[in-house]
Amino acid sequence: MDTGPDRLAPLPDRRVLASAQALAVAFGGRTVLSGVDMDIAAGEIVTIIGPNGSGKTTLVKALLGLVPVTEGAAGLAKGTRIGYVPQRFAVDTVLPLSVNRLMTLTARADNRAIATALDRVGVGHLRRADVASLSGGETQRVLLARALLRQPDLLVLDEPVQGVDFAGEAALYALIGELRDEMGLGVLMVSHDLHVVMAATDQVLCLNGHICCAGVPSDVSRHPEFLRLFGRQAAATLAVYRHDHDHDHDLHGEVVSDHDHSHDHSHENSHDHTH
């Protein structure tokens, strides 16, 4: 079975970073994934949604070469660097851990690189702070900065908005979109929450042991398989609408400035949201 990265042959104008072809994964005789075909290219944001137990984490691990493939193939293109933001990050409050120390736990980095990464995600002022004292939004941004230290080609975010309030989610998604635009990153996001699908997403994969449907958010929300999995009420909350506002939010969702600008966002909210 060929699962190596050299089998990937991206088109000249679309550099594929990760790919799966007819992928199947089984554990203990139970098939977790089957018939999965997908790829992620540089500059693209792909979001995987699906209920708990649908195989989302297994798919990511297969793409990263962390679990054995039963059938088909999966892997990274040769030379692809990964930046990973984990789903959960447990901190032992008994043993103090500063943000600066967290940034170098698994790899060395010089002070300038650390400062640049933290500044870019808006938390440069927290470099000396205790990680246990951070809010949910601050923690996610620090972890994102840590992933950026690797100068990744592909950014993988597993449940990136856990512990973040609604306004903070919108700001975090906007930041991810900016990083994609500035750095040409491929971005793979994973969630069981429907509201993770955002305007910047180029492709949504609805997973339930196989890819039930795929496409842009507005198309996926109308697909019969999506409706069967999540119900029409859930689909209705996946409304894509224009979000205009004249202010920004800080990491806690508080208004911090007033100036004229407007953004397009996709929010999966059960009602129209207006600031």
Side-chain angles (χ1 to χ4, degrees), residues 83-86 103 117-118 120-121 138-150 152 155-157 172 175-176 179 185:
Y84 181 70
V85 178
M103 297 289 283
L118 291 172
R120 179 59 194 87
V121 301
E138 290 168 343
T139 299
Q140 289 306 100
R141 288 184 180 236
V142 167
L143 292 175
L144 181 57
R146 185 168 176 260
L148 294 178
L149 280 179
R150 295 180 55 84
L155 191 60
V156 179
L157 303 106
L172 189 60
L175 174 59
I176 293 167
L179 293 172
L185 297 171

mmCIF file of all heavy atoms in Angstrom, residues 83-86 103 117-118 120-121 138-150 152 155-157 172 175-176 179 185:
data_model
loop_
_atom_site.group_PDB
_atom_site.id
_atom_site.type_symbol
_atom_site.label_atom_id
_atom_site.label_comp_id
_atom_site.label_asym_id
_atom_site.label_seq_id
_atom_site.Cartn_x
_atom_site.Cartn_y
_atom_site.Cartn_z
ATOM 1 N N GLY A 83 1.660 23.204 11.589
ATOM 2 C CA GLY A 83 1.457 23.937 12.829
ATOM 3 C C GLY A 83 0.155 23.444 13.433
ATOM 4 O O GLY A 83 -0.879 23.486 12.773
ATOM 5 N N TYR A 84 0.196 22.956 14.674
ATOM 6 C CA TYR A 84 -0.966 22.295 15.266
ATOM 7 C C TYR A 84 -1.452 23.033 16.502
ATOM 8 O O TYR A 84 -0.666 23.354 17.400
ATOM 9 C CB TYR A 84 -0.591 20.851 15.631
ATOM 10 C CG TYR A 84 -1.728 20.057 16.237
ATOM 11 C CD1 TYR A 84 -2.818 19.673 15.459
ATOM 12 C CD2 TYR A 84 -1.705 19.705 17.582
ATOM 13 C CE1 TYR A 84 -3.857 18.944 16.021
ATOM 14 C CE2 TYR A 84 -2.738 18.966 18.147
ATOM 15 C CZ TYR A 84 -3.811 18.600 17.352
ATOM 16 O OH TYR A 84 -4.843 17.887 17.911
ATOM 17 N N VAL A 85 -2.746 23.316 16.542
ATOM 18 C CA VAL A 85 -3.384 23.908 17.717
ATOM 19 C C VAL A 85 -4.298 22.847 18.306
ATOM 20 O O VAL A 85 -5.295 22.474 17.687
ATOM 21 C CB VAL A 85 -4.181 25.173 17.353
ATOM 22 C CG1 VAL A 85 -4.869 25.746 18.593
ATOM 23 C CG2 VAL A 85 -3.262 26.223 16.729
ATOM 24 N N PRO A 86 -3.995 22.327 19.496
ATOM 25 C CA PRO A 86 -4.729 21.188 20.038
ATOM 26 C C PRO A 86 -6.135 21.540 20.495
ATOM 27 O O PRO A 86 -6.468 22.707 20.729
ATOM 28 C CB PRO A 86 -3.868 20.754 21.229
ATOM 29 C CG PRO A 86 -3.176 22.005 21.654
ATOM 30 C CD PRO A 86 -2.905 22.764 20.391
ATOM 31 N N MET A 103 5.984 28.613 24.877
ATOM 32 C CA MET A 103 6.351 28.767 23.471
ATOM 33 C C MET A 103 7.570 27.927 23.099
ATOM 34 O O MET A 103 7.799 27.641 21.918
ATOM 35 C CB MET A 103 6.625 30.237 23.162
ATOM 36 C CG MET A 103 5.428 31.154 23.344
ATOM 37 S SD MET A 103 4.155 30.926 22.091
ATOM 38 C CE MET A 103 4.898 31.795 20.697
ATOM 39 N N ALA A 117 5.613 36.339 16.918
ATOM 40 C CA ALA A 117 4.451 35.464 16.816
ATOM 41 C C ALA A 117 3.348 35.909 17.775
ATOM 42 O O ALA A 117 2.165 35.963 17.398
ATOM 43 C CB ALA A 117 4.846 34.016 17.107
ATOM 44 N N LEU A 118 3.714 36.239 19.014
ATOM 45 C CA LEU A 118 2.707 36.680 19.989
ATOM 46 C C LEU A 118 2.098 38.014 19.585
ATOM 47 O O LEU A 118 0.881 38.212 19.709
ATOM 48 C CB LEU A 118 3.334 36.777 21.374
ATOM 49 C CG LEU A 118 3.723 35.452 22.035
ATOM 50 C CD1 LEU A 118 4.520 35.708 23.312
ATOM 51 C CD2 LEU A 118 2.494 34.603 22.338
ATOM 52 N N ARG A 120 1.768 39.116 16.576
ATOM 53 C CA ARG A 120 0.931 38.953 15.378
ATOM 54 C C ARG A 120 -0.476 38.489 15.727
ATOM 55 O O ARG A 120 -1.435 38.827 15.032
ATOM 56 C CB ARG A 120 1.577 37.948 14.397
ATOM 57 C CG ARG A 120 0.742 37.711 13.137
ATOM 58 C CD ARG A 120 0.535 39.001 12.389
ATOM 59 N NE ARG A 120 -0.501 38.928 11.387
ATOM 60 C CZ ARG A 120 -1.798 39.144 11.600
ATOM 61 N NH1 ARG A 120 -2.240 39.403 12.828
ATOM 62 N NH2 ARG A 120 -2.662 39.098 10.622
ATOM 63 N N VAL A 121 -0.623 37.718 16.778
ATOM 64 C CA VAL A 121 -1.954 37.234 17.143
ATOM 65 C C VAL A 121 -2.592 38.078 18.257
ATOM 66 O O VAL A 121 -3.647 37.724 18.785
ATOM 67 C CB VAL A 121 -1.929 35.748 17.559
ATOM 68 C CG1 VAL A 121 -1.387 34.891 16.429
ATOM 69 C CG2 VAL A 121 -1.105 35.542 18.835
ATOM 70 N N GLU A 138 -7.539 34.138 25.063
ATOM 71 C CA GLU A 138 -6.106 34.381 25.160
ATOM 72 C C GLU A 138 -5.321 33.089 24.992
ATOM 73 O O GLU A 138 -4.289 33.060 24.299
ATOM 74 C CB GLU A 138 -5.787 35.016 26.514
ATOM 75 C CG GLU A 138 -6.291 36.437 26.657
ATOM 76 C CD GLU A 138 -6.234 36.950 28.082
ATOM 77 O OE1 GLU A 138 -6.109 36.117 29.011
ATOM 78 O OE2 GLU A 138 -6.309 38.178 28.275
ATOM 79 N N THR A 139 -5.794 32.020 25.608
ATOM 80 C CA THR A 139 -5.108 30.732 25.497
ATOM 81 C C THR A 139 -5.054 30.270 24.051
ATOM 82 O O THR A 139 -4.000 29.819 23.573
ATOM 83 C CB THR A 139 -5.818 29.665 26.352
ATOM 84 O OG1 THR A 139 -5.796 30.065 27.723
ATOM 85 C CG2 THR A 139 -5.133 28.308 26.215
ATOM 86 N N GLN A 140 -6.169 30.368 23.334
ATOM 87 C CA GLN A 140 -6.191 29.923 21.947
ATOM 88 C C GLN A 140 -5.237 30.745 21.087
ATOM 89 O O GLN A 140 -4.582 30.222 20.193
ATOM 90 C CB GLN A 140 -7.612 29.994 21.396
ATOM 91 C CG GLN A 140 -8.555 28.943 21.971
ATOM 92 C CD GLN A 140 -8.003 27.537 21.813
ATOM 93 O OE1 GLN A 140 -7.452 26.958 22.751
ATOM 94 N NE2 GLN A 140 -8.129 26.976 20.624
ATOM 95 N N ARG A 141 -5.142 32.021 21.362
ATOM 96 C CA ARG A 141 -4.232 32.860 20.579
ATOM 97 C C ARG A 141 -2.774 32.544 20.884
ATOM 98 O O ARG A 141 -1.931 32.565 19.988
ATOM 99 C CB ARG A 141 -4.536 34.339 20.820
ATOM 100 C CG ARG A 141 -5.841 34.764 20.153
ATOM 101 C CD ARG A 141 -6.107 36.242 20.303
ATOM 102 N NE ARG A 141 -7.366 36.594 19.652
ATOM 103 C CZ ARG A 141 -7.485 37.512 18.702
ATOM 104 N NH1 ARG A 141 -6.424 38.161 18.266
ATOM 105 N NH2 ARG A 141 -8.654 37.782 18.173
ATOM 106 N N VAL A 142 -2.478 32.254 22.141
ATOM 107 C CA VAL A 142 -1.113 31.852 22.494
ATOM 108 C C VAL A 142 -0.755 30.543 21.798
ATOM 109 O O VAL A 142 0.344 30.392 21.247
ATOM 110 C CB VAL A 142 -0.965 31.725 24.021
ATOM 111 C CG1 VAL A 142 0.335 31.004 24.376
ATOM 112 C CG2 VAL A 142 -0.996 33.090 24.683
ATOM 113 N N LEU A 143 -1.677 29.590 21.803
ATOM 114 C CA LEU A 143 -1.426 28.311 21.130
ATOM 115 C C LEU A 143 -1.271 28.507 19.622
ATOM 116 O O LEU A 143 -0.479 27.822 18.970
ATOM 117 C CB LEU A 143 -2.556 27.337 21.427
ATOM 118 C CG LEU A 143 -2.657 26.858 22.883
ATOM 119 C CD1 LEU A 143 -3.906 25.996 23.071
ATOM 120 C CD2 LEU A 143 -1.412 26.088 23.301
ATOM 121 N N LEU A 144 -2.030 29.442 19.066
ATOM 122 C CA LEU A 144 -1.893 29.748 17.643
ATOM 123 C C LEU A 144 -0.521 30.352 17.362
ATOM 124 O O LEU A 144 0.147 29.985 16.382
ATOM 125 C CB LEU A 144 -3.009 30.707 17.223
ATOM 126 C CG LEU A 144 -3.056 31.128 15.755
ATOM 127 C CD1 LEU A 144 -3.146 29.917 14.842
ATOM 128 C CD2 LEU A 144 -4.242 32.059 15.515
ATOM 129 N N ALA A 145 -0.080 31.252 18.230
ATOM 130 C CA ALA A 145 1.257 31.838 18.068
ATOM 131 C C ALA A 145 2.327 30.763 18.139
ATOM 132 O O ALA A 145 3.312 30.783 17.386
ATOM 133 C CB ALA A 145 1.494 32.899 19.149
ATOM 134 N N ARG A 146 2.154 29.822 19.066
ATOM 135 C CA ARG A 146 3.110 28.716 19.208
ATOM 136 C C ARG A 146 3.182 27.892 17.927
ATOM 137 O O ARG A 146 4.265 27.478 17.491
ATOM 138 C CB ARG A 146 2.693 27.853 20.389
ATOM 139 C CG ARG A 146 3.641 26.727 20.751
ATOM 140 C CD ARG A 146 3.241 26.168 22.108
ATOM 141 N NE ARG A 146 4.042 25.008 22.488
ATOM 142 C CZ ARG A 146 3.643 23.749 22.364
ATOM 143 N NH1 ARG A 146 2.433 23.490 21.870
ATOM 144 N NH2 ARG A 146 4.421 22.764 22.737
ATOM 145 N N ALA A 147 2.030 27.666 17.301
ATOM 146 C CA ALA A 147 2.010 26.919 16.037
ATOM 147 C C ALA A 147 2.710 27.696 14.928
ATOM 148 O O ALA A 147 3.370 27.108 14.074
ATOM 149 C CB ALA A 147 0.564 26.612 15.643
ATOM 150 N N LEU A 148 2.583 29.020 14.948
ATOM 151 C CA LEU A 148 3.201 29.839 13.905
ATOM 152 C C LEU A 148 4.719 29.856 13.989
ATOM 153 O O LEU A 148 5.397 30.131 12.991
ATOM 154 C CB LEU A 148 2.668 31.274 13.985
ATOM 155 C CG LEU A 148 1.188 31.473 13.658
ATOM 156 C CD1 LEU A 148 0.804 32.939 13.820
ATOM 157 C CD2 LEU A 148 0.862 30.985 12.252
ATOM 158 N N LEU A 149 5.273 29.551 15.174
ATOM 159 C CA LEU A 149 6.724 29.512 15.319
ATOM 160 C C LEU A 149 7.367 28.501 14.377
ATOM 161 O O LEU A 149 8.531 28.640 14.003
ATOM 162 C CB LEU A 149 7.098 29.168 16.764
ATOM 163 C CG LEU A 149 7.060 30.287 17.796
ATOM 164 C CD1 LEU A 149 7.440 29.742 19.159
ATOM 165 C CD2 LEU A 149 7.985 31.438 17.402
ATOM 166 N N ARG A 150 6.602 27.484 13.997
ATOM 167 C CA ARG A 150 7.131 26.452 13.102
ATOM 168 C C ARG A 150 7.148 26.908 11.648
ATOM 169 O O ARG A 150 7.601 26.176 10.776
ATOM 170 C CB ARG A 150 6.286 25.180 13.213
ATOM 171 C CG ARG A 150 6.351 24.527 14.583
ATOM 172 C CD ARG A 150 5.492 23.272 14.629
ATOM 173 N NE ARG A 150 5.842 22.317 13.579
ATOM 174 C CZ ARG A 150 6.821 21.427 13.670
ATOM 175 N NH1 ARG A 150 7.556 21.381 14.757
ATOM 176 N NH2 ARG A 150 7.071 20.592 12.688
ATOM 177 N N PRO A 152 4.614 27.217 9.529
ATOM 178 C CA PRO A 152 3.941 26.087 8.877
ATOM 179 C C PRO A 152 3.446 26.402 7.472
ATOM 180 O O PRO A 152 3.189 27.563 7.127
ATOM 181 C CB PRO A 152 2.755 25.823 9.808
ATOM 182 C CG PRO A 152 2.441 27.168 10.386
ATOM 183 C CD PRO A 152 3.779 27.833 10.580
ATOM 184 N N LEU A 155 -1.814 24.740 8.704
ATOM 185 C CA LEU A 155 -2.218 24.984 10.081
ATOM 186 C C LEU A 155 -3.418 24.102 10.395
ATOM 187 O O LEU A 155 -4.433 24.142 9.696
ATOM 188 C CB LEU A 155 -2.590 26.457 10.239
ATOM 189 C CG LEU A 155 -2.803 27.022 11.638
ATOM 190 C CD1 LEU A 155 -1.546 26.874 12.478
ATOM 191 C CD2 LEU A 155 -3.208 28.497 11.535
ATOM 192 N N VAL A 156 -3.287 23.265 11.428
ATOM 193 C CA VAL A 156 -4.352 22.334 11.819
ATOM 194 C C VAL A 156 -4.901 22.779 13.165
ATOM 195 O O VAL A 156 -4.163 22.874 14.145
ATOM 196 C CB VAL A 156 -3.821 20.889 11.906
ATOM 197 C CG1 VAL A 156 -4.937 19.940 12.335
ATOM 198 C CG2 VAL A 156 -3.234 20.455 10.563
ATOM 199 N N LEU A 157 -6.220 23.046 13.203
ATOM 200 C CA LEU A 157 -6.865 23.521 14.429
ATOM 201 C C LEU A 157 -7.996 22.575 14.798
ATOM 202 O O LEU A 157 -8.955 22.411 14.050
ATOM 203 C CB LEU A 157 -7.409 24.934 14.226
ATOM 204 C CG LEU A 157 -6.382 25.987 13.781
ATOM 205 C CD1 LEU A 157 -6.602 26.317 12.311
ATOM 206 C CD2 LEU A 157 -6.484 27.252 14.609
ATOM 207 N N LEU A 172 -11.392 35.493 16.319
ATOM 208 C CA LEU A 172 -10.411 34.440 16.085
ATOM 209 C C LEU A 172 -10.481 33.952 14.638
ATOM 210 O O LEU A 172 -9.455 33.751 13.988
ATOM 211 C CB LEU A 172 -10.641 33.284 17.048
ATOM 212 C CG LEU A 172 -9.571 32.189 17.086
ATOM 213 C CD1 LEU A 172 -8.222 32.767 17.498
ATOM 214 C CD2 LEU A 172 -9.975 31.068 18.029
ATOM 215 N N LEU A 175 -8.859 36.439 12.376
ATOM 216 C CA LEU A 175 -7.400 36.337 12.473
ATOM 217 C C LEU A 175 -6.889 35.170 11.644
ATOM 218 O O LEU A 175 -5.888 35.306 10.922
ATOM 219 C CB LEU A 175 -6.994 36.165 13.934
ATOM 220 C CG LEU A 175 -5.519 35.899 14.205
ATOM 221 C CD1 LEU A 175 -4.650 37.032 13.678
ATOM 222 C CD2 LEU A 175 -5.286 35.688 15.701
ATOM 223 N N ILE A 176 -7.557 34.028 11.720
ATOM 224 C CA ILE A 176 -7.144 32.864 10.929
ATOM 225 C C ILE A 176 -7.188 33.188 9.441
ATOM 226 O O ILE A 176 -6.281 32.837 8.673
ATOM 227 C CB ILE A 176 -8.023 31.654 11.258
ATOM 228 C CG1 ILE A 176 -7.763 31.191 12.700
ATOM 229 C CG2 ILE A 176 -7.751 30.501 10.292
ATOM 230 C CD1 ILE A 176 -8.793 30.219 13.230
ATOM 231 N N LEU A 179 -4.210 35.368 8.546
ATOM 232 C CA LEU A 179 -2.963 34.599 8.477
ATOM 233 C C LEU A 179 -2.897 33.798 7.186
ATOM 234 O O LEU A 179 -1.838 33.693 6.558
ATOM 235 C CB LEU A 179 -2.864 33.667 9.685
ATOM 236 C CG LEU A 179 -2.698 34.348 11.044
ATOM 237 C CD1 LEU A 179 -2.808 33.322 12.166
ATOM 238 C CD2 LEU A 179 -1.363 35.081 11.129
ATOM 239 N N LEU A 185 -1.095 30.149 3.909
ATOM 240 C CA LEU A 185 -1.260 28.887 4.620
ATOM 241 C C LEU A 185 -2.430 28.071 4.089
ATOM 242 O O LEU A 185 -3.449 28.617 3.681
ATOM 243 C CB LEU A 185 -1.539 29.152 6.108
ATOM 244 C CG LEU A 185 -0.473 29.854 6.934
ATOM 245 C CD1 LEU A 185 -1.049 30.204 8.297
ATOM 246 C CD2 LEU A 185 0.744 28.984 7.066
#
